[in-house]
Amino acid sequence: MKLAFDALGLGLRTVRQQHQMTLTQLARASGLSVSFLSDIENDRTTPSLRTLQALATCYGESFQLMIRGEQ
């Protein structure tokens, strides 16, 4: 899935749901808080590149491929 930066939160939520993970599961896997992940998904905050890389790692995907939307 391609993540457009104008819809980054929605894109990240979609990726998480495609991996059948809850926010709690992703928080445990990433070391990030549920509230922070929720803020990202609801576009209340913008994640750093480091955070995006951590999320891609949790999904077992390449950060670059996740951003570009390549499989």
Side-chain angles (χ1 to χ4, degrees), residues 2-54:
K2 185 175 183 176
L3 299 178
F5 284 101
D6 59 342
L8 183 60
L10 178 60
L12 289 172
R13 176 181 292 135
T14 300
V15 171
R16 176 179 57 78
Q17 291 172 338
Q18 288 174 344
H19 284 85
Q20 300 180 343
M21 293 181 81
T22 65
L23 278 174
T24 301
Q25 291 169 325
L26 182 57
R28 287 184 186 139
S30 67
L32 302 168
S33 71
V34 170
S35 62
F36 180 62
L37 293 169
S38 177
D39 285 348
I40 292 170
E41 289 187 0
N42 288 292
D43 293 318
R44 291 187 292 259
T45 191
T46 303
S48 67
L49 292 177
R50 182 175 293 212
T51 297
L52 291 173
Q53 179 63 55

